[in-house]
Amino acid sequence: SATYAVTVNPAPTASVTGTNSICAGGSTTLVATGGGTYAWSSGGTSANETVSPSSTTTYSVIVTNASACSDTATITVTVNPLPNATITGGGNICSGQSITLSTPGTGNYSWSTGSTSSSISVSPSTTTTYSLTVTDPVSGCSSGSSATVTVLAPPVASITGISSVCAGGIVSLTASGGSSYAWSTGANSASMSDAPVAGTTYTVVVSNGSCTDTATFAVTVNPLPVISTIPDTTINYGQTITIGATSSPGSTLSWSPSSGLSCTTCASPDATPSATTTYCVLATDGNGCADTACVTIFVDINCGEVFVPNAFSPNNDSKNDVLLVMGNCVTGINFQVFDRWGEKVFESNDPSMGWDGTYNGKPLDAGVYVYQLEATLVTGDVVQKKGNISLIR
């Protein structure tokens, strides 16, 4: 016979302890006992294994003793979802306004204001951040969030511009005090222009985000002064005509062009135009409003003959005392007079200046004198003449 001894070693008793319910995003430490070495299904090899499952998970551990005998234990870790702590309703408000903050989540609520309801109404005086914690009464899991309520500075609307315009004029106004503008005319920029036909009150709504303020501005429309002139008229060259104007009381007048006029600021200047001319008068009243009226003076150029009288009597009787070059259209002359010995006793280049019968300040004797004339007409023509003059005393 023969014998063989078999030794039976005691087996380990594996066990696992630890928190078997956590909140999403949390972790727990599992503790295994019963042996000398450990092999976790999650990869750990120590008695303590920290795990952070994203969903409910069953973990196992193999416990081995010195005799190489082993036992296995398991534990299920339940992952509880976090409650919804989203805040809706935050944003911008105007000073003095209120806003409601709320959450769609369920559970127990804890606001930074101390409120425990699902929604709160706040009216901060300055920009404020509010926080909320929502706790699941069953799992005890909680989550939090925050929302900022921005308090916008209130706009202060104002309008600047000229409050009085003349009829037909343009008014330009500028608003300030905010970031956007809405005018009663439909304009939406800070500045706007309009052509009112009567007195108008303009309104602008100034905004800073959702905050608004309103300003108004009254504009007076002043009528233009009334101004009129005589009808268009035809005159002969060299004639003078009075071109009167009538205007509103208190108006100041200004005529243009000034050529040929006796006055540019009077109501009825005399006009002696050398060619057809349109004279315009500007009437300006005390409000600075102005209007214009015009009259055209047509000049009929009928020059006729240029001639020099063949006799004159410089005896200071105010009759035929001066020898002048005669003509309707003479603008320039070269007029010379010679005695019978050929000596020049008079010369003139001015049609308005004639010979008074003297030479070097002394009266000349009666007799026959000779003249030579070159006259330039307004038409540009040049007339040349010569002849005798009898000086009678």
Side-chain angles (χ1 to χ4, degrees):
S1 63
T3 61
Y4 187 82
V6 177
T7 301
V8 178
N9 296 312
T13 301
S15 66
V16 179
T17 60
T19 302
N20 59 1
S21 179
I22 64 172
C23 299
S27 63
T28 184
T29 298
L30 306 178
V31 179
T33 58
T37 61
Y38 305 91
W40 292 90
S41 56
S42 55
T45 58
S46 63
N48 298 336
E49 178 75 352
T50 300
V51 295
S52 301
S54 58
S55 60
T56 297
T57 303
T58 299
Y59 296 93
S60 62
V61 61
I62 300 174
V63 179
T64 303
N65 60 16
S67 302
C69 296
S70 61
D71 191 18
T72 301
T74 61
I75 187 172
T76 298
V77 178
T78 300
V79 179
N80 299 300
L82 298 179
N84 184 0
T86 302
I87 299 176
T88 60
N92 300 331
I93 64 170
C94 304
S95 179
Q97 291 182 336
S98 61
I99 191 171
T100 298
L101 306 178
S102 61
T103 178
T106 58
N108 297 326
Y109 311 100
S110 176
W111 292 88
S112 56
T113 61
S115 175
T116 57
S117 62
S118 61
S119 64
I120 59 173
S121 179
V122 295
S123 181
S125 58
T126 59
T127 298
T128 304
T129 298
Y130 297 91
S131 60
L132 167 67
T133 300
V134 180
T135 303
D136 188 322
V138 177
S139 66
C141 295
S142 62
S143 62
S145 64
S146 62
T148 298
V149 176
T150 301
V151 180
L152 301 175
V156 179
S158 65
I159 301 175
T160 57
I162 298 176
S163 59
S164 177
V165 296
C166 301
I170 302 297
V171 59
S172 296
L173 302 179
T174 300
S176 60
S179 57
S180 62
Y181 305 88
W183 290 89
S184 53
T185 61
N188 54 14
S189 60
S191 298
M192 77 91 191
S193 297
D194 191 37
V197 296
T200 304
T201 297
Y202 295 93
T203 301
V204 65
V205 178
V206 178
S207 301
N208 185 13
S210 61
C211 306
T212 62
D213 192 22
T214 302
T216 58
F217 194 91
V219 175
T220 301
V221 177
N222 298 309
L224 299 181
V226 178
I227 179 71
S228 63
T229 63
I230 65 170
D232 293 347
T233 305
T234 299
I235 63 172
N236 292 323
Y237 177 81
Q239 275 189 302
T240 297
I241 186 173
T242 300
I243 52 173
T246 58
S247 63
S248 302
S251 298
T252 59
L253 304 181
S254 176
W255 290 89
S256 64
S258 60
S259 60
L261 291 183
S262 63
C263 174
T264 58
T265 58
C266 51
S268 300
D270 292 332
T272 311
S274 59
T276 296
T277 304
T278 297
Y279 293 101
C280 293
V281 58
L282 176 69
T284 305
D285 64 16
N287 295 317
C289 299
D291 199 9
T292 299
C294 298
V295 56
T296 299
I297 304 301
F298 297 94
V299 177
D300 188 0
I301 301 178
N302 183 11
C303 293
E305 182 183 359
V306 177
F307 70 97
V308 177
N310 58 11
F312 76 114
S313 56
N315 54 10
N316 296 321
D317 63 355
S318 299
K319 296 179 181 180
N320 203 22
D321 284 332
V322 178
L323 180 70
L324 289 168
V325 176
M326 312 298 288
N328 294 334
C329 305
V330 177
T331 60
I333 61 171
N334 182 7
F335 182 46
Q336 298 176 342
V337 180
F338 302 88
D339 63 18
R340 58 184 175 176
W341 295 282
E343 183 179 2
K344 183 166 60 178
V345 296
F346 176 75
E347 183 176 13
S348 174
N349 293 309
D350 184 351
S352 65
M353 186 171 67
W355 183 37
D356 61 359
T358 63
Y359 178 58
N360 291 331
K362 296 180 179 180
L364 293 178
D365 295 334
V368 177
Y369 295 82
V370 177
Y371 75 86
Q372 289 184 346
L373 171 65
E374 182 178 277
T376 303
L377 307 185
V378 68
T379 59
D381 296 329
V382 176
V383 176
Q384 292 183 338
K385 285 193 171 189
K386 60 183 178 179
N388 295 330
I389 303 167
S390 294
L391 191 159
I392 302 172
R393 289 194 182 278

